[in-house]
Amino acid sequence: LASREFLAGLPKAELHMHLDGALSPAMMFSLAQRNQVKLPYTSVEEIEAAYQFKNLQSFLDLLYQGASVLKHEQDFYDLARDYFAKCKADNILHTELSFDPQTHTDRGIPFDTVISGILRAMDDAKTEWGISSKLVMDFLRHLSAESAMKTLEESLPWKDKIIAVGLDSSELGHPPSKFTEVFARARAEGYRVVAHAGEEGPPAYIWEAIDLLKVERIDHGVRADEDPQLLDYLQKTQIPLTVCPLSNVRLCVFDKMAEHNLFSLMDAGLRVMINSDDPTYFGGYLNDNYFAIADAFPLTRKQALLLAHNSFTSSFIDDVEKQEFI
Ligand code: HPA
Ligand code: ZN
């Protein structure tokens, strides 16, 4: 079996991590003071105590409220810098982090402010710590397709710095088909494409993400196991699923870790790996997710190696770069 030491020491990539979801309660509290933003909390402990979620929406409400403390380029830098320090600690050699520009542009923060701070932190993480990273731009699916298209157009001057577009936020009632044209345009502009699907939403949303958006990777996708044909398709095509164990338990997708379907997906031959999603909201960074799985299941070293291997083979690093890692 894989010990904690073994898991912590494994070289890993992370492919599903939302930058706003890496805002720690301590940084939220200090940025609120620095930027004079009012929060409905009087201490860091109160923030932590508020993190009890009953579903995805109850989490998103607090995620977007927390993000309101981010205003300046330096704030986005500090946030990303904090996450990269955790990457270093968790032996993450490569990360494909996502950001949600609309969370910020909708409250008047310029797109350029957001992305400049993030890109500066990515450069520093590479120079100082040798951490490789790519940036994914997610659209908020509870907003309109027009808003997503406008965001896509705003991103074009930066398109060489953004590897892919994705889709996140409230899944139920906002199927991938709502964004068919936006994703077609994004692909035409040279972006790779991913989407959250099958977290709370049905297998039909995973099919739509594949057939209509033409995604190369599914974020979450754990509800694929309700559709045998879909499982078969995912096995044959090896379209990766970026699974997030602590997130799924904290958002009640599974009642407890022992009920998680990570192993049944692996046993069905799907390409899956472990990710942290929103580490400061769900109680742990990447290694904590590996530990939580190893605590609930007999995780062998071979299985852990496969998960870590899949994290690299599912990434958007090109074949030449990949040889550095695999
Ligand atoms: N699902 C949907 N939207 C999100 C998530 C998630 O897991 N995390 C941050 N935004
Ligand atoms: Zn996510």
Side-chain angles (χ1 to χ4, degrees):
L1 295 184
S3 66
R4 288 194 169 217
E5 202 181 9
F6 178 82
L7 296 170
L10 267 183
K12 291 165 283 272
E14 177 151 66
L15 307 179
H16 181 168
M17 201 299 295
H18 304 262
L19 194 56
D20 295 335
L23 177 62
S24 68
M27 188 179 287
M28 190 191 297
F29 201 72
S30 70
L31 283 178
Q33 291 182 326
R34 187 159 105 187
N35 292 335
Q36 287 153 0
V37 176
K38 262 192 93 63
L39 287 174
Y41 312 109
T42 59
S43 67
V44 170
E45 292 70 30
E46 266 184 42
I47 301 177
E48 284 163 353
Y51 291 173
Q52 311 281 345
F53 312 114
K54 60 179 198 297
N55 54 27
L56 174 58
Q57 192 60 51
S58 61
F59 152 70
L60 291 170
D61 293 343
L62 292 198
L63 177 73
Y64 301 143
Q65 177 189 80
S68 70
V69 304
L70 298 160
K71 291 199 162 175
H72 307 292
E73 193 260 10
Q74 186 67 41
D75 305 339
F76 293 95
Y77 176 90
D78 291 348
L79 172 59
R81 176 82 179 172
D82 211 48
Y83 168 64
F84 281 118
K86 297 300 193 298
C87 290
K88 184 165 178 274
D90 278 5
N91 207 20
I92 294 175
L93 308 187
H94 173 75
T95 177
E96 300 187 352
L97 64 163
S98 65
F99 77 122
D100 293 333
Q102 291 155 298
T103 298
H104 312 295
T105 53
D106 269 23
R107 54 189 182 85
I109 312 297
F111 187 99
D112 289 9
T113 300
V114 179
I115 196 168
S116 301
I118 300 169
L119 291 173
R120 187 158 64 87
M122 289 168 65
D123 280 347
D124 286 357
K126 178 75 195 169
T127 315
E128 291 174 42
W129 297 329
I131 299 170
S132 140
S133 61
K134 294 190 186 293
L135 187 57
V136 176
M137 176 173 76
D138 281 358
F139 302 115
L140 297 178
R141 68 203 303 160
H142 69 276
L143 300 178
S144 66
E146 291 72 34
S147 172
M149 191 67 94
K150 188 170 154 265
T151 303
L152 177 62
E153 281 165 1
E154 255 185 305
S155 77
L156 293 178
W158 299 94
K159 82 175 178 184
D160 293 343
K161 305 278 187 195
I162 302 171
I163 187 77
V165 298
L167 199 56
D168 67 359
S169 189
S170 323
E171 187 179 7
L172 290 168
H174 302 284
S177 50
K178 178 174 166 185
F179 298 93
T180 303
E181 287 82 31
V182 178
F183 274 64
R185 173 79 192 279
R187 281 184 280 109
E189 295 288 352
Y191 291 101
R192 316 283 294 261
V193 296
V194 302
H196 283 55
E199 177 186 18
E200 282 191 344
Y205 285 19
I206 302 177
W207 280 120
E208 281 191 10
I210 294 167
D211 293 336
L212 303 177
L213 307 188
K214 312 209 183 291
V215 296
E216 296 176 67
R217 211 157 70 194
I218 301 281
D219 288 322
H220 294 296
V222 289
R223 286 193 61 191
D225 74 357
E226 296 167 30
D227 179 343
Q229 267 183 300
L230 178 56
L231 276 184
D232 192 47
Y233 184 86
L234 292 170
Q235 188 275 325
K236 287 204 171 76
T237 56
Q238 291 292 294
I239 294 175
L241 305 186
T242 64
V243 173
C244 307
L246 283 173
S247 166
N248 291 153
V249 174
R250 294 296 291 268
L251 299 186
C252 309
V253 172
F254 299 97
D255 288 337
K256 49 184 192 311
M257 198 57 85
E259 287 170 18
H260 202 286
N261 66 0
L262 175 75
F263 288 88
S264 64
L265 297 171
M266 264 209 279
D267 292 345
L270 272 61
R271 190 187 284 185
V272 297
M273 89 302 298
I274 294 180
N275 304 272
S276 69
D277 205 9
D278 301 277
T280 51
Y281 286 83
F282 299 148
Y285 290 85
L286 187 55
N287 283 356
D288 300 313
N289 275 270
Y290 273 86
F291 300 160
I293 285 290
D295 288 345
F297 297 94
L299 174 68
T300 65
R301 286 184 178 217
K302 193 171 167 196
Q303 288 169 321
L305 280 167
L306 177 61
L307 289 165
H309 181 79
N310 288 346
S311 73
F312 289 103
T313 58
S314 305
S315 75
F316 290 137
I317 43 188
D318 65 36
D319 291 344
V320 178
E321 290 174 293
K322 261 181 196 160
Q323 287 169 12
E324 273 182 52
F325 296 109
I326 305 168

